[in-house]
Amino acid sequence: MTQQTTADLQRLDRAHHLHPFTDFKALGEEGSRIITHAEGVYVHDSEGHRILDGMAGLWCVNLGYGREELVEAATRQMRELPFYNNFFKSTHPPAVKLAEKLSQLAPAHVNRVFFTGSGSEANDTALRMIRRYWALEGKPEKQIVISRENGYHGSTVAGLSLGGMAPMHAQGGPLVPGIEHVRQPYWFGEGREHTPEAFGRLCAQAIEDKILALGEENVAAFIAEPVQGAGGAIIPPESYWPAVKEVLARYDILLVADEVICGFGRLGEWFGSQHYGLKPDLMPIAKGLSSGYLPIGGVLVGDRVAETLIEEGGEFFHGFTYSGHPVCAAVALKNLELMEAEGIVEKVRDDLGPYLARRWAELGDHPVVGETRSLGLIGALELVADKAGGQRFDKTLGAGNLCRDICFDSGLVMRSVGDTMIISPPLVITRAQIDELVILARRALDETARRLGITTTKEASA
Ligand SMILES: *Cc1c(COP(=O)(O)O)cnc(C)c1O
């Protein structure tokens, strides 16, 4: 193969490649950054830069890059059986073994999994199961799913309808009917006139109000991410989930915990639901399931729903060609085995999570930072123009994107959601690499402040 230069690749990319969640024209003018290889927590681009990947790819490369064991698992399985389906009364060892492993790791009442190719397909599957379940229970009028504004459940039509992303809704055409949204527990963004505790309870109350307005007899399920990821690493106030649990306990509706990001150690437990003591009926999973090495997702199905689907359901007319793909399943199984063998989840809970919390909070003294928050290995900081008053930057300044670009150019992937900067590093990051991440983030904040004309303490005292 002839060596293609960065400019060649950018030209071809512009000519032929439509990127996800991208302004095609603007990217064409700017040109893509081309990532060529990676190891551990670092990615490298075609111009020789090494970049600390504070986003674990896209919330998924939990074991880090370059794990030979995963490469070997894929190679071995490709040689043995690269594909066979799970339709028509057949299966294969990787799908069965992965299903068993997931049942072991999941909460006690969750013993089955339906495989998909992605998190979006997992949420589509959850919606199918919810509606099928209530129909089989003789309550077909229980159809409505309550979801949250600014939640993210994927980008298929059902996924974006379940999600609460306003820009996606605006482009998605008529959405899947029977999905109602309630306010999100985003204290810094929407609740600062209350204490966080009071605001958490208000947001839980909004769910109950919605159930009462719709009539319990019409409500099928409530769906939520334990911690919102794409919405801005939104960690709800401590009062939120206990209050939501109380609300849900009063009504007969299903709980769907979208674990696509929170699952597999991100919050220091195997599942985010365990951190918050939730007992979900369905848990969509993907991303960290295979550390992103191959695409695979699924829905973990609690006994209540599974037993009805199995005992009463007859054929469930749903599935994907790649449901339980053998190579993806083999890699996911090896990924989970490595996580167990290396005690990754415990390390996040007992060491790395608390360490990140301490170091990350130090950024709270920066003049453009209005709040820092983290839980396990997910974190966010809020950019503000006026620290004392907590005033946001004028939207037209694009402070978040500016900070993100500065980060990337200076060797750190930190993503922006509006003016919220978020991190979700690989779970194998070390304390020293967390130190490096915090140093790079502070430098980027300094530069962001400088370009936006905010005086930093350093300059003030100089
Ligand atoms: C990423 C994500 C999805 C969608 O997963 P895809 O694999 O991109 O389809 C769904 N839910 C949550 C919480 C996610 O973060």
Side-chain angles (χ1 to χ4, degrees):
M1 199 184 90
T2 53
Q3 199 66 36
Q4 283 179 311
T5 65
T6 300
D8 287 337
L9 285 166
Q10 284 175 329
R11 184 174 45 75
L12 294 170
D13 185 58
R14 185 179 302 123
H16 304 297
H17 183 193
L18 302 176
H19 293 220
F21 283 93
T22 292
D23 176 338
F24 307 132
K25 189 170 169 199
L27 178 66
E29 283 156 13
E30 226 177 304
S32 302
R33 185 185 300 269
I34 293 158
I35 304 299
T36 52
H37 59 289
E39 82 287 322
V41 300
Y42 298 99
V43 297
H44 298 256
D45 72 14
S46 59
E47 307 205 289
H49 302 110
R50 186 179 86 149
I51 306 159
L52 174 56
D53 185 3
M55 282 305 297
L58 199 51
W59 321 89
C60 55
V61 188
N62 288 0
L63 274 189
Y65 299 94
R67 295 299 303 245
E68 269 309 311
E69 304 94 324
L70 299 181
V71 177
E72 275 163 29
T75 311
R76 210 178 314 121
Q77 187 56 44
M78 279 218 172
R79 292 218 169 86
E80 207 157 289
L81 181 72
F83 179 75
Y84 200 74
N85 68 65
N86 288 281
F87 294 43
F88 321 131
K89 304 187 193 174
S90 47
T91 190
H92 40 66
V96 177
K97 288 191 218 162
L98 179 60
E100 186 212 8
K101 172 57 74 185
L102 285 166
S103 303
Q104 269 172 24
L105 297 175
H109 71 286
V110 177
N111 292 292
R112 289 177 180 84
V113 59
F114 189 104
F115 288 118
T116 68
S118 69
S120 299
E121 289 174 9
N123 280 288
D124 273 56
T125 300
L127 182 62
R128 296 283 309 269
M129 285 182 170
I130 290 164
R131 291 185 169 166
R132 181 84 186 123
Y133 169 81
W134 286 117
L136 290 168
E137 290 288 305
K139 296 181 177 172
E141 68 287 357
K142 270 173 105 67
Q143 284 274 317
I144 300 173
V145 179
I146 298 175
S147 177
R148 301 182 304 180
E149 291 161 5
N150 199 37
Y152 189 76
H153 301 295
S155 194
T156 52
V157 176
L160 83 88
S161 302
L162 286 168
M165 297 284 173
M168 292 176 78
H169 285 186
Q171 287 182 352
L175 304 177
V176 173
I179 298 169
E180 295 276 337
H181 294 84
V182 294
R183 70 190 303 185
Q184 56 173 337
Y186 181 19
W187 179 77
F188 190 86
E190 301 181 359
R192 277 185 282 166
E193 67 274 29
H194 308 280
T195 64
E197 298 316 297
F199 183 65
R201 283 190 296 273
L202 273 179
C203 293
Q205 185 59 47
I207 301 168
E208 181 157 38
D209 293 346
K210 184 64 92 176
I211 295 169
L212 294 172
L214 295 164
E216 178 190 359
E217 67 282 6
N218 299 311
V219 179
F222 172 64
I223 183 171
E225 303 153 84
V227 167
Q228 285 156 267
I234 295 163
I235 301 162
E238 283 299 322
S239 59
Y240 180 70
W241 277 115
V244 173
K245 273 193 284 183
E246 274 180 40
V247 167
L248 296 180
R250 282 199 278 281
Y251 305 95
D252 191 20
I253 64 180
L254 301 174
L255 171 61
V256 184
D258 185 341
E259 295 274 1
V260 171
I261 286 176
C262 296
F264 309 106
R266 179 62 51 198
L267 305 188
E269 298 287 343
W270 278 98
F271 297 96
S273 297
Q274 292 162 322
H275 175 81
Y276 287 112
L278 308 176
K279 196 169 174 250
D281 296 291
L282 299 172
M283 299 156 82
I285 54 173
K287 294 196 171 116
L289 169 57
S290 63
S291 280
Y293 276 56
L294 283 174
I296 181 168
V299 183
L300 297 176
V301 184
D303 293 337
R304 175 179 175 181
V305 173
E307 275 155 25
T308 298
L309 293 180
I310 293 165
E311 297 304 324
E312 320 284 336
E315 180 170 351
F316 186 46
F317 297 107
H318 177 67
F320 303 102
T321 303
Y322 298 137
S323 285
H325 189 289
V327 183
C328 303
V331 168
L333 179 63
K334 179 56 77 179
N335 176 61
L336 299 179
E337 288 171 354
L338 289 169
M339 286 190 67
E340 272 189 308
E342 295 171 15
I344 302 281
V345 177
E346 295 76 11
K347 252 184 235 171
V348 172
R349 186 188 60 208
D350 300 333
D351 182 47
L352 295 170
Y355 187 70
L356 176 71
R358 187 148 56 77
R359 297 300 328 267
W360 190 248
E362 291 169 15
L363 295 171
D365 69 5
H366 197 280
V368 294
V369 174
E371 183 191 72
T372 64
R373 55 179 181 266
S374 79
L375 176 61
L377 287 186
I378 191 169
L381 51 83
E382 302 282 359
L383 299 178
V384 289
D386 163 35
K387 196 174 176 72
Q391 203 66 35
R392 296 279 203 183
F393 284 102
D394 189 308
K395 271 203 170 64
T396 58
L397 292 171
N401 284 350
L402 173 67
C403 182
R404 178 200 61 197
D405 292 347
I406 291 169
C407 282
F408 226 136
D409 289 340
S410 56
L412 173 66
V413 182
M414 177 156 72
R415 195 174 142 189
S416 57
V417 176
D419 286 350
T420 309
M421 305 308 300
I422 56 182
I423 54 161
S424 167
L427 306 184
V428 294
I429 195 168
T430 62
R431 282 182 170 225
Q433 289 163 340
I434 288 175
D435 294 341
E436 184 188 346
L437 187 157
V438 171
I439 289 168
L440 288 168
R442 184 177 288 278
R443 271 191 219 143
L445 291 168
D446 285 343
E447 180 61 14
T448 304
R450 198 185 62 77
R451 294 216 213 152
L452 292 172
I454 306 281
T455 318
T456 59
T457 346
K458 233 185 321 180
E459 288 159 0
S461 61

